[in-house]
Amino acid sequence: MSHDRIRRFLGEHQPRTPCLVIDTSVVAARVRELIAGFPHPRLRYAVKANPEPAVLRAVLAAGGGFDVASPGEIDTCLAQGAAPETLSYGNTIKKPADIAYAFSRGVREFTTDAESDIEHLAELAPGASVTVRMLVDAPASATPFGRKFGCDPAEAAPLLRRAASLGLDAAGVAFHPGSQQADPSAWDNGIAAAAKVFAEVDGLRRLNIGGGFGITYRSPVPTPQAYASAIRACLRAHFPHTPEIVLEPGRAVVAEAGLIRTEVVLVANRDGHRWVYLDIGRYNGLAETENEAIPYRFEPCEGPRGPVVIAGPTCDGDDVLYQRTPYELPLALRAGDRLDILDTGAYTASYSSVSFNGIEPLETYCID
Ligand SMILES: *Cc1c(COP(=O)(O)O)cnc(C)c1O
């Protein structure tokens, strides 16, 4: 349905390829669906997934706020009319100057996972609310965070007490089960660990269950409703009273709203394999094909088809999208033909390099 609207726009305007078109009505619908899945949640859209102003305005209009990670993202959200109370600074890696800037713009909610950051917050964002991010085991997701973020769950209570002793508002705990997490039971460990911290520290009220909700690329994932009902069941199992829930989705809000149109630059046979080179690759929008983590769907895909290796346009040997993941494209495909890459609204334009090989960042158009 939304693909038809986007294709109509592409047909009428014939923009240069590659380009991304976002249907912002889908963004708003996803925000409403995710909010409807939980009792009075705060939804804080992870801006890094797609910071396009029209996307942010759609999130805002649907009742969402923003998970920001830098002064630049704060400015972008405020410029779209977001109230500072709807912003939460979710990045645990921040300079003192970034904290001071956020506080000066009215941001009063921060996520943290280390004592040094808590000391900076106490000094530069006095009285602000802090949520401590924990690292909890989860089944592998398509693009996991590894061990980069989050304290050991056993350290969460001492960090929250430390924050309170420095005059901060120790609000609660956070975790993220990994991005494109296809298994709703992945939230169970984090919710169980959070319940223990709530039992240890008086006055906690907020539980941030991250983003991570998957969308259907080539293999189906649960619906937003199914994620929500599995997570609500975990909450009932571990918490005597449901805490205030914060959701931080990125991908599930914007991925399905977007479609990339690309042009075939070259088709060549190499060593018995058919290589299809596109005008979009790893460095101008498809960064999540690193390790072939996200297998996008391509259209059209009718008629006689055969196996292909799919590669990007740059002079970099790593700019190959799929060579292990089996893909088939029409045998009739020639240079100059167009292809659509579906569900590409998240983690595409925002990851696009400035001018690698002189190629411009991915152009985005928004329709509503
Ligand atoms: C990226 C990020 C998210 C969004 O994750 P998705 O998997 O896109 O939903 C949420 N919270 C934090 C802290 C993040 O860094």
Side-chain angles (χ1 to χ4, degrees):
M1 176 60 198
S2 127
H3 295 155
D4 293 345
R5 301 184 61 209
I6 290 176
R7 285 183 175 133
R8 209 172 316 129
F9 171 88
L10 285 164
E12 277 167 23
H13 296 271
Q14 300 286 333
R16 276 205 307 159
T17 67
C19 64
L20 166 65
V21 185
I22 301 267
D23 181 345
T24 59
S25 69
V26 176
V27 171
R30 291 294 174 274
V31 168
R32 290 198 191 95
E33 264 171 34
L34 285 158
I35 289 177
F38 297 89
H40 312 294
R42 301 175 180 218
L43 184 143
R44 299 288 178 254
Y45 167 65
V47 173
K48 72 179 189 290
N50 190 318
E52 198 58 36
V55 168
L56 304 184
R57 289 194 298 272
V59 169
L60 204 54
F66 302 99
D67 167 33
V68 294
S70 65
E73 287 189 349
I74 293 170
D75 289 347
T76 307
C77 293
L78 295 178
Q80 298 317 311
E85 313 80 86
T86 65
L87 267 51
S88 108
Y89 203 121
N91 192 353
T92 60
I93 316 296
K94 45 197 172 305
K95 297 175 183 176
D98 301 339
I99 298 171
Y101 182 76
F103 194 73
S104 78
R105 298 302 308 265
V107 177
R108 295 292 180 270
E109 288 180 27
F110 295 83
T111 304
T112 188
D113 61 8
E115 183 158 4
S116 154
D117 188 52
I118 289 174
E119 287 162 3
H120 291 149
L121 286 165
E123 187 190 336
L124 298 161
S129 294
V130 294
T131 297
V132 169
R133 179 165 172 177
M134 306 180 295
L135 177 62
V136 289
D137 288 332
S141 70
T143 59
F145 289 98
R147 309 201 70 76
K148 181 171 175 184
F149 304 104
C151 67
D152 188 299
E155 282 173 28
L159 285 173
L160 286 160
R161 287 196 199 97
R162 174 86 177 128
S165 76
L166 293 173
L168 292 163
D169 165 33
V173 291
F175 67 93
H176 193 302
S179 196
Q180 183 63 14
Q181 176 54 264
D183 180 357
S185 75
W187 275 262
D188 193 66
N189 276 344
I191 290 171
K196 277 195 194 143
V197 181
F198 270 63
E200 271 178 72
V201 182
D202 285 339
L204 299 187
R205 60 186 188 279
R206 190 170 298 158
L207 172 59
N208 178 332
I209 61 171
F213 312 100
I215 68 121
T216 295
Y217 290 105
R218 294 211 306 182
S219 344
V221 300
T223 60
Q225 292 78 7
Y227 275 104
S229 87
I231 294 169
R232 286 198 315 269
C234 296
L235 288 166
R236 280 194 302 273
H238 299 292
F239 276 88
H241 309 285
T242 306
E244 191 183 299
I245 298 295
V246 181
L247 311 172
E248 280 179 351
R251 188 185 307 280
V253 167
V254 71
E256 291 168 327
L259 177 147
I260 285 173
R261 178 152 290 178
T262 176
E263 181 180 316
V264 175
V265 181
L266 176 71
V267 180
N269 285 307
R270 307 200 188 283
D271 213 8
H273 297 283
R274 189 164 59 118
W275 285 65
V276 172
Y277 299 83
L278 306 177
D279 64 1
I280 189 163
R282 177 87 64 81
Y283 303 103
N284 60 335
L286 301 181
E288 286 204 305
T289 57
E290 187 173 358
N291 300 320
E292 309 193 14
I294 299 293
Y296 294 111
R297 269 189 302 152
F298 291 79
E299 286 185 355
C301 219
E302 292 101 41
R305 287 174 297 162
V308 285
V309 176
I310 305 176
T314 67
C315 303
D316 187 297
D318 286 328
D319 190 8
V320 176
L321 307 179
Y322 305 109
Q323 63 190 324
R324 296 190 310 277
T325 312
Y327 268 92
E328 292 197 339
L329 287 175
L331 293 169
L333 208 61
R334 296 286 177 274
D337 289 349
R338 304 296 172 87
L339 286 174
D340 290 341
I341 316 177
L342 308 190
D343 303 322
T344 40
Y347 303 115
T348 49
S350 55
Y351 262 141
S352 188
S353 69
V354 176
S355 122
F356 185 54
N357 267 170
I359 293 172
E360 286 163 16
L362 183 61
E363 189 72 54
T364 303
Y365 301 91
C366 290
I367 61 172
D368 56 19

